[in-house]
Amino acid sequence: MSVQERKQRERVERERLIVATARELAEQQGWDAVTTRRLAERIEYSQPVLYSHFRGKREIIGAVALEGAAEMAAALRAATRAADGPRARVTALARAYLDFAERNPAVYDAMFQLDGGLAFANEDTPQPLKDAFAALLESLGEVAGDGVHPGLFTEVFWAALHGLATLTRAGRLPPEDAEPRVELLVDRLAVV
């Protein structure tokens, strides 16, 4: 292995460490606790080393969001792959989405609540975000109904899931009614 290859591998490993540490700190203490100073202390590198990877917290949030989008896409696909039939796939997708949001609140915030400097819904959208939307569209497109654009239906269904996730987490909706909400959402929106 050449010196340049080794340095590149070390750089990638440092970047992964920064993102993993930011994610861990955010999940434990919230995003306000994530500062370059704290990250530098935790990973035992100087702040200039962090800045050689990311221009600041915004880019770190963006990196966490991209990692989270890839994880969410994988979770959604795994859940829908195991389901039999359109209704079961949509129900599994909704449950997997809400479960991901509940288990990864800081990552979910990085993806959808915080400014990570990422473009959504245009040509500049990073591939992991496009892939996460595609994971939704794969199951939701088949239940959009006649004359309904599958992408628009997916956006509306996604917005409903996001609302459920956000309102439940904020204590605005009682968590014990999560399953009836999923059933109602699938029954009323999906044409199965």
PDB file of all heavy atoms in Angstrom, residues 1-12 14:
ATOM      1  N   MET A   1       0.843  -1.173   0.000  1.00  0.00           N
ATOM      2  CA  MET A   1       0.000   0.000   0.000  1.00  0.00           C
ATOM      3  C   MET A   1       0.889   1.237   0.000  1.00  0.00           C
ATOM      4  O   MET A   1       1.814   1.353   0.782  1.00  0.00           O
ATOM      5  CB  MET A   1      -0.899  -0.013   1.238  1.00  0.00           C
ATOM      6  CG  MET A   1      -1.735   1.224   1.384  1.00  0.00           C
ATOM      7  SD  MET A   1      -2.755   1.288   2.858  1.00  0.00           S
ATOM      8  CE  MET A   1      -3.711  -0.185   2.719  1.00  0.00           C
ATOM      9  N   SER A   2       0.559   2.157  -0.870  1.00  0.00           N
ATOM     10  CA  SER A   2       1.356   3.370  -0.957  1.00  0.00           C
ATOM     11  C   SER A   2       1.029   4.301   0.210  1.00  0.00           C
ATOM     12  O   SER A   2       0.020   4.156   0.883  1.00  0.00           O
ATOM     13  CB  SER A   2       1.081   4.087  -2.282  1.00  0.00           C
ATOM     14  OG  SER A   2      -0.194   4.687  -2.249  1.00  0.00           O
ATOM     15  N   VAL A   3       1.909   5.270   0.410  1.00  0.00           N
ATOM     16  CA  VAL A   3       1.707   6.258   1.462  1.00  0.00           C
ATOM     17  C   VAL A   3       0.415   7.033   1.201  1.00  0.00           C
ATOM     18  O   VAL A   3      -0.377   7.281   2.114  1.00  0.00           O
ATOM     19  CB  VAL A   3       2.917   7.215   1.549  1.00  0.00           C
ATOM     20  CG1 VAL A   3       2.632   8.364   2.482  1.00  0.00           C
ATOM     21  CG2 VAL A   3       4.157   6.457   1.975  1.00  0.00           C
ATOM     22  N   GLN A   4       0.196   7.368  -0.058  1.00  0.00           N
ATOM     23  CA  GLN A   4      -1.011   8.121  -0.408  1.00  0.00           C
ATOM     24  C   GLN A   4      -2.267   7.287  -0.119  1.00  0.00           C
ATOM     25  O   GLN A   4      -3.254   7.816   0.410  1.00  0.00           O
ATOM     26  CB  GLN A   4      -0.969   8.527  -1.873  1.00  0.00           C
ATOM     27  CG  GLN A   4      -2.144   9.394  -2.280  1.00  0.00           C
ATOM     28  CD  GLN A   4      -2.036   9.847  -3.728  1.00  0.00           C
ATOM     29  OE1 GLN A   4      -1.084   9.526  -4.424  1.00  0.00           O
ATOM     30  NE2 GLN A   4      -3.034  10.584  -4.170  1.00  0.00           N
ATOM     31  N   GLU A   5      -2.257   6.010  -0.432  1.00  0.00           N
ATOM     32  CA  GLU A   5      -3.406   5.142  -0.152  1.00  0.00           C
ATOM     33  C   GLU A   5      -3.644   5.026   1.353  1.00  0.00           C
ATOM     34  O   GLU A   5      -4.784   5.062   1.815  1.00  0.00           O
ATOM     35  CB  GLU A   5      -3.191   3.751  -0.748  1.00  0.00           C
ATOM     36  CG  GLU A   5      -3.267   3.707  -2.255  1.00  0.00           C
ATOM     37  CD  GLU A   5      -2.840   2.371  -2.822  1.00  0.00           C
ATOM     38  OE1 GLU A   5      -1.984   1.685  -2.203  1.00  0.00           O
ATOM     39  OE2 GLU A   5      -3.366   2.001  -3.885  1.00  0.00           O
ATOM     40  N   ARG A   6      -2.569   4.899   2.104  1.00  0.00           N
ATOM     41  CA  ARG A   6      -2.693   4.802   3.560  1.00  0.00           C
ATOM     42  C   ARG A   6      -3.272   6.092   4.134  1.00  0.00           C
ATOM     43  O   ARG A   6      -4.168   6.060   4.969  1.00  0.00           O
ATOM     44  CB  ARG A   6      -1.330   4.502   4.204  1.00  0.00           C
ATOM     45  CG  ARG A   6      -1.401   4.357   5.735  1.00  0.00           C
ATOM     46  CD  ARG A   6      -0.033   4.155   6.357  1.00  0.00           C
ATOM     47  NE  ARG A   6       0.950   5.164   6.006  1.00  0.00           N
ATOM     48  CZ  ARG A   6       1.023   6.399   6.513  1.00  0.00           C
ATOM     49  NH1 ARG A   6       0.156   6.794   7.398  1.00  0.00           N
ATOM     50  NH2 ARG A   6       1.966   7.239   6.133  1.00  0.00           N
ATOM     51  N   LYS A   7      -2.780   7.240   3.656  1.00  0.00           N
ATOM     52  CA  LYS A   7      -3.294   8.526   4.139  1.00  0.00           C
ATOM     53  C   LYS A   7      -4.770   8.698   3.790  1.00  0.00           C
ATOM     54  O   LYS A   7      -5.550   9.197   4.598  1.00  0.00           O
ATOM     55  CB  LYS A   7      -2.476   9.689   3.573  1.00  0.00           C
ATOM     56  CG  LYS A   7      -1.123   9.838   4.226  1.00  0.00           C
ATOM     57  CD  LYS A   7      -0.386  11.047   3.702  1.00  0.00           C
ATOM     58  CE  LYS A   7       0.940  11.181   4.425  1.00  0.00           C
ATOM     59  NZ  LYS A   7       1.612  12.430   4.089  1.00  0.00           N
ATOM     60  N   GLN A   8      -5.142   8.264   2.595  1.00  0.00           N
ATOM     61  CA  GLN A   8      -6.554   8.356   2.198  1.00  0.00           C
ATOM     62  C   GLN A   8      -7.416   7.455   3.074  1.00  0.00           C
ATOM     63  O   GLN A   8      -8.499   7.844   3.497  1.00  0.00           O
ATOM     64  CB  GLN A   8      -6.725   7.988   0.715  1.00  0.00           C
ATOM     65  CG  GLN A   8      -8.153   8.069   0.226  1.00  0.00           C
ATOM     66  CD  GLN A   8      -8.772   9.455   0.400  1.00  0.00           C
ATOM     67  OE1 GLN A   8      -8.106  10.483   0.343  1.00  0.00           O
ATOM     68  NE2 GLN A   8     -10.076   9.481   0.641  1.00  0.00           N
ATOM     69  N   ARG A   9      -6.948   6.254   3.359  1.00  0.00           N
ATOM     70  CA  ARG A   9      -7.687   5.331   4.233  1.00  0.00           C
ATOM     71  C   ARG A   9      -7.829   5.932   5.633  1.00  0.00           C
ATOM     72  O   ARG A   9      -8.906   5.893   6.232  1.00  0.00           O
ATOM     73  CB  ARG A   9      -6.991   3.976   4.303  1.00  0.00           C
ATOM     74  CG  ARG A   9      -7.821   2.929   5.047  1.00  0.00           C
ATOM     75  CD  ARG A   9      -7.087   1.623   5.263  1.00  0.00           C
ATOM     76  NE  ARG A   9      -6.129   1.822   6.332  1.00  0.00           N
ATOM     77  CZ  ARG A   9      -4.836   1.534   6.274  1.00  0.00           C
ATOM     78  NH1 ARG A   9      -4.317   1.025   5.196  1.00  0.00           N
ATOM     79  NH2 ARG A   9      -4.044   1.744   7.305  1.00  0.00           N
ATOM     80  N   GLU A  10      -6.755   6.516   6.145  1.00  0.00           N
ATOM     81  CA  GLU A  10      -6.808   7.147   7.467  1.00  0.00           C
ATOM     82  C   GLU A  10      -7.769   8.332   7.470  1.00  0.00           C
ATOM     83  O   GLU A  10      -8.493   8.545   8.448  1.00  0.00           O
ATOM     84  CB  GLU A  10      -5.407   7.599   7.897  1.00  0.00           C
ATOM     85  CG  GLU A  10      -4.489   6.440   8.230  1.00  0.00           C
ATOM     86  CD  GLU A  10      -3.041   6.860   8.443  1.00  0.00           C
ATOM     87  OE1 GLU A  10      -2.709   8.062   8.213  1.00  0.00           O
ATOM     88  OE2 GLU A  10      -2.230   5.999   8.813  1.00  0.00           O
ATOM     89  N   ARG A  11      -7.791   9.081   6.386  1.00  0.00           N
ATOM     90  CA  ARG A  11      -8.709  10.222   6.277  1.00  0.00           C
ATOM     91  C   ARG A  11     -10.160   9.749   6.314  1.00  0.00           C
ATOM     92  O   ARG A  11     -10.996  10.325   7.016  1.00  0.00           O
ATOM     93  CB  ARG A  11      -8.427  11.006   4.989  1.00  0.00           C
ATOM     94  CG  ARG A  11      -9.324  12.194   4.800  1.00  0.00           C
ATOM     95  CD  ARG A  11      -8.875  13.059   3.611  1.00  0.00           C
ATOM     96  NE  ARG A  11      -9.753  14.171   3.415  1.00  0.00           N
ATOM     97  CZ  ARG A  11      -9.835  15.240   4.186  1.00  0.00           C
ATOM     98  NH1 ARG A  11      -9.050  15.359   5.237  1.00  0.00           N
ATOM     99  NH2 ARG A  11     -10.686  16.210   3.932  1.00  0.00           N
ATOM    100  N   VAL A  12     -10.470   8.714   5.569  1.00  0.00           N
ATOM    101  CA  VAL A  12     -11.826   8.149   5.549  1.00  0.00           C
ATOM    102  C   VAL A  12     -12.200   7.633   6.936  1.00  0.00           C
ATOM    103  O   VAL A  12     -13.319   7.860   7.417  1.00  0.00           O
ATOM    104  CB  VAL A  12     -11.940   7.042   4.481  1.00  0.00           C
ATOM    105  CG1 VAL A  12     -13.225   6.249   4.622  1.00  0.00           C
ATOM    106  CG2 VAL A  12     -11.830   7.643   3.083  1.00  0.00           C
ATOM    107  N   ARG A  14     -10.999   8.690   9.841  1.00  0.00           N
ATOM    108  CA  ARG A  14     -11.210   9.861  10.712  1.00  0.00           C
ATOM    109  C   ARG A  14     -12.583  10.471  10.465  1.00  0.00           C
ATOM    110  O   ARG A  14     -13.289  10.843  11.398  1.00  0.00           O
ATOM    111  CB  ARG A  14     -10.125  10.917  10.480  1.00  0.00           C
ATOM    112  CG  ARG A  14      -8.974  10.875  11.453  1.00  0.00           C
ATOM    113  CD  ARG A  14      -8.096  12.114  11.376  1.00  0.00           C
ATOM    114  NE  ARG A  14      -7.846  12.636  10.052  1.00  0.00           N
ATOM    115  CZ  ARG A  14      -6.852  12.244   9.256  1.00  0.00           C
ATOM    116  NH1 ARG A  14      -6.012  11.306   9.648  1.00  0.00           N
ATOM    117  NH2 ARG A  14      -6.690  12.787   8.073  1.00  0.00           N
TER     118      ARG A  14
END
